[in-house]
Amino acid sequence: MDALIKAHQQAKQKQTQANVLLNDLQTREKELKEKISGLSSHASSAERQLSRALTSDSLEKASAVVEEARKSANDAQMLLKNIERAINDINVNLPTLHNDVRLAELDIWAAQEQRLIQEMKAQQDVLSLIMKAYVAAWQQGYRWEIATFIREKILGAGTHIDPEVLAQLKDEMTKQILLGADVSAKTDEKAAAFEDTAGE
C-alpha cells in the first residue's frame, strides 16, 4: 500500500508541476506578446526616422536603430515560438499525467478493497451471524439474493445506496489512506532528521 500511495503522490506531483509550469509559460507568453507589440511599434518608428534622415551620419544612426529594433523583435518572436511550443507540449502531456494520477488512485482503491475483504473474511463470527440471519429470513419466505439482504436488512440502505453516503465514506477513507500516508511520511522524515542530528 505504501508503494502505491508513493506512486500516486509522485504522479500527482508531476501533474501539479506541469500545471505550475504551464501557468508560468502562459504568463510569459502574454508578457512577451505585449513586448513584441512594443518592439514592432519601435521598429516602425525607427523606419520612419530612417526615411526622414538627411545626412549620411543621421542615415547611419537611423539604420543602426532600425537594425537593432528588428533584431530585438526577431529575438522576441523566436522566444515566443519556443514558449508556445513548450505550452503545446505540456497541453499534449497533461491528459497522460491526469490519467497516471487516476490509475494510481485506482490501484490504491483496489488494494484497499482487497485488504478490507480479507479483514471481513477473517471475521468468521460476523459472517456466520449474517448467514444465520439470511437463513432465518429465507425460512420466512425472503427470496432475494444475499447481497440484497445485506444491503436492505444490515446496511438499511433499501434497494439503492444513497450516493451522498458513498461520497462521504469515500472522503473519510481517502483521508485515512492518503493523509495517513502523509503523516507517516512526515514522521519518518522527522525521525531521520533526529537520527542525523543525534549522529553529529
Side-chain angles (χ1 to χ4, degrees):
M1 179 64 82
D2 288 344
L4 294 175
I5 290 171
K6 187 175 181 181
H8 174 260
Q9 288 171 338
Q10 289 172 342
K12 193 79 175 170
Q13 186 177 14
K14 285 181 183 178
Q15 184 188 40
T16 300
Q17 288 172 342
N19 281 318
V20 168
L21 181 57
L22 179 62
N23 289 336
D24 181 54
L25 288 171
Q26 287 173 334
T27 299
R28 288 176 61 194
E29 178 188 35
K30 183 180 176 184
E31 291 171 352
L32 198 52
K33 283 180 177 178
E34 291 172 358
K35 182 178 178 181
I36 287 171
S37 178
L39 289 170
S40 297
S41 297
H42 181 62
S44 298
S45 175
E47 286 169 356
R48 285 194 295 273
Q49 289 177 5
L50 178 62
S51 66
R52 291 197 296 269
L54 300 174
T55 66
S56 60
D57 186 46
S58 61
L59 186 64
E60 188 176 326
K61 286 180 181 178
S63 180
V65 170
V66 169
E67 186 62 29
E68 182 62 29
R70 284 178 180 165
K71 184 178 182 307
S72 295
N74 286 338
D75 290 347
Q77 284 287 0
M78 183 65 70
L79 181 58
L80 178 62
K81 284 182 182 177
N82 290 336
I83 288 174
E84 287 173 341
R85 191 179 300 115
I87 288 173
N88 185 59
D89 289 345
I90 292 173
N91 281 327
V92 166
N93 289 325
L94 273 177
T96 301
L97 292 173
H98 177 75
N99 190 52
D100 289 345
V101 171
R102 179 60 182 152
L103 289 175
E105 287 175 355
L106 290 175
D107 286 342
I108 289 172
W109 285 114
Q112 186 72 350
E113 177 191 11
Q114 288 307 311
R115 184 184 69 78
L116 292 169
I117 287 172
Q118 292 307 315
E119 280 187 22
M120 282 188 288
K121 286 181 178 178
Q123 303 295 325
Q124 291 299 321
D125 291 344
V126 174
L127 293 177
S128 177
L129 287 173
I130 290 173
M131 291 306 299
K132 286 176 180 177
Y134 182 64
V135 168
W138 186 270
Q139 292 301 108
Q140 300 171 64
Y142 188 88
R143 292 295 179 265
W144 295 102
E145 292 181 359
I146 193 164
T148 306
F149 173 79
I150 291 170
R151 193 164 54 236
E152 286 182 349
K153 304 290 185 177
I154 297 174
L155 297 179
T159 308
H160 300 287
I161 296 176
D162 188 346
E164 287 185 15
V165 172
L166 288 176
Q168 288 172 0
L169 283 171
K170 183 200 164 197
D171 288 343
E172 288 175 20
M173 290 174 70
T174 301
K175 287 175 186 172
Q176 289 173 6
I177 296 168
L178 299 180
L179 295 183
D182 288 343
V183 170
S184 176
K186 287 174 184 173
T187 303
D188 292 343
E189 287 173 11
K190 286 179 181 177
F194 178 75
E195 287 174 8
D196 292 341
T197 307
E200 290 177 355

